mmCIF file with all atom_site columns, all heavy atoms in Angstrom:
data_model
loop_
_atom_site.group_PDB
_atom_site.id
_atom_site.type_symbol
_atom_site.label_atom_id
_atom_site.label_alt_id
_atom_site.label_comp_id
_atom_site.label_asym_id
_atom_site.label_entity_id
_atom_site.label_seq_id
_atom_site.pdbx_PDB_ins_code
_atom_site.Cartn_x
_atom_site.Cartn_y
_atom_site.Cartn_z
_atom_site.occupancy
_atom_site.B_iso_or_equiv
_atom_site.pdbx_formal_charge
_atom_site.auth_seq_id
_atom_site.auth_comp_id
_atom_site.auth_asym_id
_atom_site.auth_atom_id
_atom_site.pdbx_PDB_model_num
ATOM 1  N N   . ALA A 1 69 ? 180.723 86.802 197.593 1.00 98.00 ? 221 ALA A N   1
ATOM 2  C CA  . ALA A 1 69 ? 179.830 85.773 197.066 1.00 98.00 ? 221 ALA A CA  1
ATOM 3  C C   . ALA A 1 69 ? 180.222 84.394 197.586 1.00 98.00 ? 221 ALA A C   1
ATOM 4  O O   . ALA A 1 69 ? 179.361 83.578 197.937 1.00 98.00 ? 221 ALA A O   1
ATOM 5  C CB  . ALA A 1 69 ? 179.855 85.793 195.537 1.00 98.00 ? 221 ALA A CB  1
ATOM 6  N N   . CYS A 1 70 ? 181.528 84.142 197.651 1.00 98.00 ? 222 CYS A N   1
ATOM 7  C CA  . CYS A 1 70 ? 182.001 82.851 198.152 1.00 98.00 ? 222 CYS A CA  1
ATOM 8  C C   . CYS A 1 70 ? 181.701 82.706 199.642 1.00 98.00 ? 222 CYS A C   1
ATOM 9  O O   . CYS A 1 70 ? 181.381 81.607 200.116 1.00 98.00 ? 222 CYS A O   1
ATOM 10 C CB  . CYS A 1 70 ? 183.489 82.698 197.894 1.00 98.00 ? 222 CYS A CB  1
ATOM 11 S SG  . CYS A 1 70 ? 183.881 82.465 196.145 1.00 98.00 ? 222 CYS A SG  1
ATOM 12 N N   . ALA A 1 71 ? 181.779 83.799 200.381 1.00 98.00 ? 223 ALA A N   1
ATOM 13 C CA  . ALA A 1 71 ? 181.427 83.764 201.801 1.00 98.00 ? 223 ALA A CA  1
ATOM 14 C C   . ALA A 1 71 ? 179.964 83.381 201.976 1.00 98.00 ? 223 ALA A C   1
ATOM 15 O O   . ALA A 1 71 ? 179.617 82.588 202.869 1.00 98.00 ? 223 ALA A O   1
ATOM 16 C CB  . ALA A 1 71 ? 181.704 85.118 202.444 1.00 98.00 ? 223 ALA A CB  1
ATOM 17 N N   . VAL A 1 72 ? 179.111 83.929 201.129 1.00 98.00 ? 224 VAL A N   1
ATOM 18 C CA  . VAL A 1 72 ? 177.687 83.572 201.165 1.00 98.00 ? 224 VAL A CA  1
ATOM 19 C C   . VAL A 1 72 ? 177.510 82.070 200.937 1.00 98.00 ? 224 VAL A C   1
ATOM 20 O O   . VAL A 1 72 ? 176.767 81.397 201.655 1.00 98.00 ? 224 VAL A O   1
ATOM 21 C CB  . VAL A 1 72 ? 176.900 84.382 200.111 1.00 98.00 ? 224 VAL A CB  1
ATOM 22 C CG1 . VAL A 1 72 ? 175.503 83.814 199.904 1.00 98.00 ? 224 VAL A CG1 1
ATOM 23 C CG2 . VAL A 1 72 ? 176.821 85.849 200.520 1.00 98.00 ? 224 VAL A CG2 1
ATOM 24 N N   . GLU A 1 73 ? 178.226 81.529 199.946 1.00 98.00 ? 225 GLU A N   1
ATOM 25 C CA  . GLU A 1 73 ? 178.085 80.109 199.645 1.00 98.00 ? 225 GLU A CA  1
ATOM 26 C C   . GLU A 1 73 ? 178.684 79.234 200.748 1.00 98.00 ? 225 GLU A C   1
ATOM 27 O O   . GLU A 1 73 ? 178.153 78.158 201.044 1.00 98.00 ? 225 GLU A O   1
ATOM 28 C CB  . GLU A 1 73 ? 178.730 79.777 198.296 1.00 98.00 ? 225 GLU A CB  1
ATOM 29 C CG  . GLU A 1 73 ? 178.461 78.374 197.804 1.00 98.00 ? 225 GLU A CG  1
ATOM 30 C CD  . GLU A 1 73 ? 176.988 78.084 197.487 1.00 98.00 ? 225 GLU A CD  1
ATOM 31 O OE1 . GLU A 1 73 ? 176.173 79.034 197.416 1.00 98.00 ? 225 GLU A OE1 1
ATOM 32 O OE2 . GLU A 1 73 ? 176.654 76.898 197.302 1.00 98.00 ? 225 GLU A OE2 1
ATOM 33 N N   . MET A 1 74 ? 179.752 79.669 201.367 1.00 98.00 ? 226 MET A N   1
ATOM 34 C CA  . MET A 1 74 ? 180.322 78.913 202.490 1.00 98.00 ? 226 MET A CA  1
ATOM 35 C C   . MET A 1 74 ? 179.315 78.803 203.630 1.00 98.00 ? 226 MET A C   1
ATOM 36 O O   . MET A 1 74 ? 179.125 77.728 204.211 1.00 98.00 ? 226 MET A O   1
ATOM 37 C CB  . MET A 1 74 ? 181.591 79.597 202.999 1.00 98.00 ? 226 MET A CB  1
ATOM 38 C CG  . MET A 1 74 ? 182.791 79.459 202.089 1.00 98.00 ? 226 MET A CG  1
ATOM 39 S SD  . MET A 1 74 ? 184.184 80.437 202.737 1.00 98.00 ? 226 MET A SD  1
ATOM 40 C CE  . MET A 1 74 ? 185.259 80.485 201.300 1.00 98.00 ? 226 MET A CE  1
ATOM 41 N N   . LEU A 1 75 ? 178.676 79.920 203.952 1.00 97.00 ? 227 LEU A N   1
ATOM 42 C CA  . LEU A 1 75 ? 177.716 79.883 205.046 1.00 97.00 ? 227 LEU A CA  1
ATOM 43 C C   . LEU A 1 75 ? 176.502 79.037 204.681 1.00 97.00 ? 227 LEU A C   1
ATOM 44 O O   . LEU A 1 75 ? 175.990 78.271 205.508 1.00 97.00 ? 227 LEU A O   1
ATOM 45 C CB  . LEU A 1 75 ? 177.281 81.297 205.433 1.00 97.00 ? 227 LEU A CB  1
ATOM 46 C CG  . LEU A 1 75 ? 176.570 81.277 206.790 1.00 97.00 ? 227 LEU A CG  1
ATOM 47 C CD1 . LEU A 1 75 ? 177.394 81.998 207.841 1.00 97.00 ? 227 LEU A CD1 1
ATOM 48 C CD2 . LEU A 1 75 ? 175.201 81.889 206.711 1.00 97.00 ? 227 LEU A CD2 1
ATOM 49 N N   . HIS A 1 76 ? 176.056 79.152 203.442 1.00 96.00 ? 228 HIS A N   1
ATOM 50 C CA  . HIS A 1 76 ? 174.935 78.326 202.985 1.00 96.00 ? 228 HIS A CA  1
ATOM 51 C C   . HIS A 1 76 ? 175.293 76.838 203.065 1.00 96.00 ? 228 HIS A C   1
ATOM 52 O O   . HIS A 1 76 ? 174.489 76.022 203.534 1.00 96.00 ? 228 HIS A O   1
ATOM 53 C CB  . HIS A 1 76 ? 174.575 78.712 201.558 1.00 96.00 ? 228 HIS A CB  1
ATOM 54 C CG  . HIS A 1 76 ? 173.501 77.865 200.944 1.00 96.00 ? 228 HIS A CG  1
ATOM 55 N ND1 . HIS A 1 76 ? 172.248 77.714 201.510 1.00 96.00 ? 228 HIS A ND1 1
ATOM 56 C CD2 . HIS A 1 76 ? 173.498 77.103 199.814 1.00 96.00 ? 228 HIS A CD2 1
ATOM 57 C CE1 . HIS A 1 76 ? 171.520 76.903 200.755 1.00 96.00 ? 228 HIS A CE1 1
ATOM 58 N NE2 . HIS A 1 76 ? 172.259 76.514 199.739 1.00 96.00 ? 228 HIS A NE2 1
ATOM 59 N N   . THR A 1 77 ? 176.511 76.493 202.646 1.00 96.00 ? 229 THR A N   1
ATOM 60 C CA  . THR A 1 77 ? 176.937 75.094 202.671 1.00 96.00 ? 229 THR A CA  1
ATOM 61 C C   . THR A 1 77 ? 177.010 74.570 204.097 1.00 96.00 ? 229 THR A C   1
ATOM 62 O O   . THR A 1 77 ? 176.607 73.432 204.379 1.00 96.00 ? 229 THR A O   1
ATOM 63 C CB  . THR A 1 77 ? 178.304 74.938 201.981 1.00 96.00 ? 229 THR A CB  1
ATOM 64 O OG1 . THR A 1 77 ? 178.203 75.413 200.636 1.00 96.00 ? 229 THR A OG1 1
ATOM 65 C CG2 . THR A 1 77 ? 178.747 73.489 201.956 1.00 96.00 ? 229 THR A CG2 1
ATOM 66 N N   . TYR A 1 78 ? 177.526 75.385 205.003 1.00 97.00 ? 230 TYR A N   1
ATOM 67 C CA  . TYR A 1 78 ? 177.523 74.996 206.423 1.00 97.00 ? 230 TYR A CA  1
ATOM 68 C C   . TYR A 1 78 ? 176.120 74.631 206.887 1.00 97.00 ? 230 TYR A C   1
ATOM 69 O O   . TYR A 1 78 ? 175.908 73.615 207.556 1.00 97.00 ? 230 TYR A O   1
ATOM 70 C CB  . TYR A 1 78 ? 178.118 76.128 207.282 1.00 97.00 ? 230 TYR A CB  1
ATOM 71 C CG  . TYR A 1 78 ? 177.295 76.511 208.482 1.00 97.00 ? 230 TYR A CG  1
ATOM 72 C CD1 . TYR A 1 78 ? 177.269 75.710 209.626 1.00 97.00 ? 230 TYR A CD1 1
ATOM 73 C CD2 . TYR A 1 78 ? 176.516 77.663 208.473 1.00 97.00 ? 230 TYR A CD2 1
ATOM 74 C CE1 . TYR A 1 78 ? 176.493 76.063 210.725 1.00 97.00 ? 230 TYR A CE1 1
ATOM 75 C CE2 . TYR A 1 78 ? 175.747 78.020 209.564 1.00 97.00 ? 230 TYR A CE2 1
ATOM 76 C CZ  . TYR A 1 78 ? 175.737 77.220 210.689 1.00 97.00 ? 230 TYR A CZ  1
ATOM 77 O OH  . TYR A 1 78 ? 174.956 77.551 211.769 1.00 97.00 ? 230 TYR A OH  1
ATOM 78 N N   . SER A 1 79 ? 175.151 75.468 206.502 1.00 94.00 ? 231 SER A N   1
ATOM 79 C CA  . SER A 1 79 ? 173.776 75.223 206.958 1.00 94.00 ? 231 SER A CA  1
ATOM 80 C C   . SER A 1 79 ? 173.224 73.919 206.385 1.00 94.00 ? 231 SER A C   1
ATOM 81 O O   . SER A 1 79 ? 172.454 73.218 207.048 1.00 94.00 ? 231 SER A O   1
ATOM 82 C CB  . SER A 1 79 ? 172.867 76.404 206.589 1.00 94.00 ? 231 SER A CB  1
ATOM 83 O OG  . SER A 1 79 ? 172.559 76.430 205.201 1.00 94.00 ? 231 SER A OG  1
ATOM 84 N N   . LEU A 1 80 ? 173.616 73.578 205.157 1.00 94.00 ? 232 LEU A N   1
ATOM 85 C CA  . LEU A 1 80 ? 173.148 72.336 204.547 1.00 94.00 ? 232 LEU A CA  1
ATOM 86 C C   . LEU A 1 80 ? 173.759 71.121 205.243 1.00 94.00 ? 232 LEU A C   1
ATOM 87 O O   . LEU A 1 80 ? 173.073 70.124 205.484 1.00 94.00 ? 232 LEU A O   1
ATOM 88 C CB  . LEU A 1 80 ? 173.501 72.313 203.057 1.00 94.00 ? 232 LEU A CB  1
ATOM 89 C CG  . LEU A 1 80 ? 172.881 73.401 202.178 1.00 94.00 ? 232 LEU A CG  1
ATOM 90 C CD1 . LEU A 1 80 ? 173.323 73.202 200.724 1.00 94.00 ? 232 LEU A CD1 1
ATOM 91 C CD2 . LEU A 1 80 ? 171.371 73.406 202.285 1.00 94.00 ? 232 LEU A CD2 1
ATOM 92 N N   . ILE A 1 81 ? 175.068 71.195 205.540 1.00 95.00 ? 233 ILE A N   1
ATOM 93 C CA  . ILE A 1 81 ? 175.726 70.087 206.241 1.00 95.00 ? 233 ILE A CA  1
ATOM 94 C C   . ILE A 1 81 ? 175.023 69.812 207.560 1.00 95.00 ? 233 ILE A C   1
ATOM 95 O O   . ILE A 1 81 ? 174.711 68.660 207.895 1.00 95.00 ? 233 ILE A O   1
ATOM 96 C CB  . ILE A 1 81 ? 177.212 70.405 206.494 1.00 95.00 ? 233 ILE A CB  1
ATOM 97 C CG1 . ILE A 1 81 ? 177.991 70.469 205.177 1.00 95.00 ? 233 ILE A CG1 1
ATOM 98 C CG2 . ILE A 1 81 ? 177.833 69.349 207.413 1.00 95.00 ? 233 ILE A CG2 1
ATOM 99 C CD1 . ILE A 1 81 ? 179.431 70.939 205.344 1.00 95.00 ? 233 ILE A CD1 1
#
Side-chain angles (χ1 to χ4, degrees):
C222 289
V224 167
E225 188 65 13
M226 287 175 195
L227 195 113
H228 176 57
T229 302
Y230 131 76
S231 74
L232 298 181
I233 293 173

